Amino acid sequence: MEIAFDQLLIQTINGIVTGMILALVASGLTLIFGIMDVVNFAHGELFMLGAYVGVIVLAATGDFWIALIAASLIIALLGAAIYLMTLRPLLGRDPLTTILATFGVSLVLQNYALWQFGPVARKIQEPVTGHFTLFYLEYPWYRLVIALLSAAIIGGLWLFLKFGTYGIWIRATTQDRVMAQAMGIPVPWVLTVVFAIGAGMAGASGVLFGPLVGVNHAMGLDWILKAFIVVVVGGMGNLAGSIAASIFISLLEAYASLWVSPAQAIIVSFVVLILTLLFRPTGLFVPTPK
Amino acid sequence: MSSHSAEPLLEVEEIHTYYGKSHILDGVSLEVGRGEVVGLLGRNGVGKSTTLKAVAGLVHPSRGAVRFEGRPITRLPAHRVARLGIGYVPEDRRIFRLLTVAENLRTGLDRHGVTAARKKDLLEKVYAYFPVLAERRSQAGGTLSGGEQQMLAIARAMMLEPKIILLDEPTEGLMPRMVSQIREIIDVLHRESVAVLLVEQNVPLTLEASQRIYILEKGVVRHHAPAAELQVNDAVIHQYLGV
């Protein structure tokens, strides 16, 4: 089958847009894993609840941007509460206990959402409604807005980690929790804040992505699965690696869907995951360990 | 020196620690006076490092007490112990490998109540003591040589403006030239009235640098004497350390 150049370009843009949202979800996940070795199975539900908070605040205020900020803050606080109540007592135990705990939290949150909001999907009205012509397509501006906003949030996180005092505390704690304490860094507080930041980023991505799919209690599942794939492919705990892997995998899926249906294209992600685990288990986008 | 001041800077009283079922410290007691350099000698595995960790708050003794400036710190979390002015330089240095030299130093500087001017002074001071760190300030800590990492570990602890620094085998694995530099740094700390609790395998260096010596065996202090005394009479050293 002949693939036209315009189709290729459209899929490149689609891949980058999806990749940026995925990167936003995955960076929270990888930040949390990197600093406390906890795989947060409830991350997808934080994404989903962020979208619901967005629905509610949007209905109350009519302003998408207020909804976005409110959802990030509320989900960040929720994340801190989840961390303090379920994870903090388990830190340093067998990783299985934290996996089970976050899995439990994820079931509770998902069923809470089903009970509270019902099974019918809610809609978030996108703040930017226009389209522009991309070859034969009317391409929504909002998709580009999502990509840019995700990039801006990730960029902000990067600057904060690179130059901020608390960012340096977070990096030091990620590298050596014990030594960080011995340098006077309040490690228990740093861990809580990192969990809150990761949760807040998931909440923000839920609101950003809401207008594209509709909000329902199970919307976190697809994302969390993909986020796990990119976190592993990018190298567990490696922020830059996860971002690169998000875009890489989303592009691959976008190109694959030129030939097969999008539902089948997801197979590509799993193939990459399996190949990574077989041949480069430390991650694709990290330097070879010495 | 400590006998002159009313109250020692650091008091360790009968501390016991366990690792699983094995008794690591079996009632260690010692004191460090203000500005005093105290050596802690003993064979491998007698609990020297654990004693330092217990002071730093990284290991919490099951019995006994640690007091700093008269205040009990036995159960305090390590980050609060550090902020009281206890700097810890671990045996394996534990540089933040992916942080630059300057960022490693910043981990101890960014505290409440330290003005920008004070931070600058502190940095300039350590860069003057350790010019090599100034040269490499933008380099990742993990790229430094062993000796440079040791200097960074000490400089990093100095950022806390500590009243005492706990040095765990600072000369281990270093070249002779580096060893004498570490020796000089201990003297500098002493001149600045920073107390040092020094754990070392290098007995001559410890005897030279310290005012008083404790000898540890199987988790208890077996002997305690002025360093000058042990330099003259090395029978005790032979008995406990076999050197």
Side-chain angles (χ1 to χ4, degrees):
Chain A
M1 187 170 79
E2 185 95 355
I3 299 296
F5 173 72
D6 49 0
Q7 273 182 315
L8 208 59
L9 195 71
I10 287 168
Q11 285 309 83
T12 305
I13 292 172
N14 276 335
I16 289 174
V17 169
T18 326
M20 286 319 295
I21 275 274
L22 187 56
L24 194 58
V25 180
S27 10
L29 202 59
T30 204
L31 196 64
I32 289 169
F33 178 81
I35 201 165
M36 56 190 104
D37 294 330
V38 165
V39 179
N40 179 22
F41 275 91
H43 211 70
E45 277 58 52
L46 296 170
F47 172 88
M48 173 270 292
L49 285 178
Y52 272 118
V53 173
V55 169
I56 293 165
V57 178
L58 184 58
T61 65
D63 189 324
F64 179 88
W65 307 108
I66 292 178
L68 178 64
I69 291 166
S72 315
L73 294 179
I74 290 170
I75 300 303
L77 285 178
L78 177 69
I82 290 173
Y83 172 75
L84 290 174
M85 286 189 295
T86 62
L87 287 172
R88 191 169 190 167
L90 298 176
L91 275 192
R93 303 258 196 97
D94 190 314
L96 191 61
T97 61
T98 56
I99 288 175
L100 287 174
T102 58
F103 188 64
V105 170
S106 118
L107 291 178
V108 169
L109 295 181
Q110 220 181 98
N111 285 292
Y112 166 78
L114 184 59
W115 170 69
Q116 178 74 41
F117 303 108
V120 181
R122 308 286 182 97
K123 178 82 180 134
I124 294 181
Q125 183 60 47
E126 60 263 56
V128 180
T129 46
H131 294 73
F132 64 96
T133 309
L134 185 66
F135 304 109
Y136 52 88
L137 268 184
E138 285 294 301
Y139 203 86
W141 277 113
Y142 181 63
R143 294 191 132 246
L144 293 190
V145 170
I146 297 182
L148 289 176
L149 266 180
S150 303
I153 296 173
I154 292 169
L157 174 73
W158 186 82
L159 288 176
F160 166 74
L161 288 175
K162 179 80 185 151
F163 299 109
T165 293
Y166 299 143
I168 290 180
W169 285 8
I170 289 172
R171 284 191 289 143
T173 307
T174 301
Q175 283 172 47
D176 190 334
R177 212 186 293 168
V178 171
M179 198 57 223
Q181 277 181 291
M183 286 309 296
I185 295 174
V187 168
W189 183 86
V190 170
L191 296 180
T192 312
V193 168
V194 165
F195 207 90
I197 292 175
M201 289 173 77
S205 12
V207 181
L208 283 177
F209 198 68
L212 301 188
V213 286
V215 178
N216 73 62
H217 68 281
M219 74 186 288
L221 292 176
D222 291 346
W223 284 94
I224 200 60
L225 190 60
K226 269 198 204 169
F228 280 133
I229 294 175
V230 302
V231 166
V232 173
V233 170
M236 298 292 279
N238 181 317
L239 193 58
S242 297
I243 294 164
S246 299
I247 293 169
F248 175 67
I249 283 197
S250 302
L251 278 175
L252 281 186
E253 276 191 22
Y255 294 141
S257 57
L258 287 171
W259 286 278
V260 296
S261 78
Q264 290 167 318
I266 197 172
I267 294 169
V268 176
S269 308
F270 290 101
V271 172
V272 174
L273 173 69
I274 291 165
L275 291 178
T276 306
L277 287 174
L278 280 178
F279 297 110
R280 212 177 155 88
T282 52
L284 273 192
F285 297 99
V286 291
T288 309
K290 286 174 202 103
Chain B
M1 199 164 186
S2 68
S3 54
H4 299 304
S5 58
E7 159 190 286
L9 178 70
L10 174 73
E11 285 169 276
V12 173
E13 195 181 290
E14 284 281 312
I15 55 170
H16 294 255
T17 65
Y18 295 83
Y19 186 77
K21 274 189 175 168
S22 57
H23 214 149
I24 305 293
L25 299 185
D26 191 6
V28 169
S29 299
L30 57 84
E31 283 181 11
V32 181
R34 289 184 185 274
E36 190 184 24
V37 180
V38 170
L40 192 53
L41 293 172
R43 293 179 201 238
N44 277 328
V46 296
K48 303 186 300 288
S49 295
T50 308
T51 305
L52 294 193
K53 283 182 190 158
V55 174
L58 296 168
V59 164
H60 291 295
S62 47
R63 270 187 289 155
V66 181
R67 276 187 294 275
F68 187 64
E69 302 189 299
R71 180 185 163 185
I73 59 165
T74 323
R75 304 248 157 257
L76 225 51
H79 66 271
R80 300 212 12 225
V81 172
R83 293 200 172 182
L84 290 176
I86 299 184
Y88 174 59
V89 181
E91 187 178 1
D92 38 8
R93 288 148 205 159
R94 299 184 90 148
I95 294 303
F96 301 116
R97 304 182 65 83
L98 300 176
L99 266 58
T100 64
V101 168
E103 286 168 344
N104 265 278
L105 296 174
R106 257 186 83 179
T107 58
L109 265 185
D110 291 332
R111 291 169 280 135
H112 287 297
V114 187
T115 61
R118 183 80 194 125
K119 287 181 188 179
K120 197 161 162 271
D121 282 355
L122 279 166
L123 274 176
E124 276 171 9
K125 202 166 85 179
V126 297
Y127 283 148
Y129 287 141
F130 308 101
V132 67
L133 295 184
E135 278 168 39
R136 304 201 190 287
R137 68 180 86 189
S138 315
Q139 230 171 288
T143 64
L144 302 187
S145 73
E148 289 163 352
Q149 287 192 13
Q150 186 64 60
M151 288 181 196
L152 178 55
I154 297 173
R156 184 176 63 175
M158 287 168 77
M159 293 294 105
L160 292 166
E161 299 180 86
K163 297 178 179 118
I164 185 169
I165 290 193
L166 314 169
L167 282 179
D168 198 350
E169 305 211 7
T171 69
E172 191 192 21
L174 297 189
M175 295 182 301
R177 187 171 55 82
M178 285 294 185
V179 172
S180 54
Q181 242 175 314
I182 299 292
R183 170 80 178 78
E184 280 167 35
I185 294 162
I186 297 174
D187 284 345
V188 166
L189 292 173
H190 184 51
R191 273 204 301 280
E192 297 205 350
S193 308
V194 178
V196 175
L197 183 53
L198 172 66
V199 163
E200 255 301 336
Q201 297 289 346
N202 184 334
V203 176
L205 178 137
T206 312
L207 293 182
E208 257 179 64
S210 317
Q211 278 97 61
R212 285 188 305 119
I213 302 286
Y214 289 89
I215 297 178
L216 220 58
E217 193 186 54
K218 290 184 188 152
V220 274
V221 171
R222 293 286 183 201
H223 195 80
H224 163 213
E229 199 174 288
L230 295 178
Q231 271 178 310
V232 182
N233 172 9
D234 59 3
V236 180
I237 300 285
H238 276 294
Q239 184 188 342
Y240 290 109
L241 304 172
V243 289

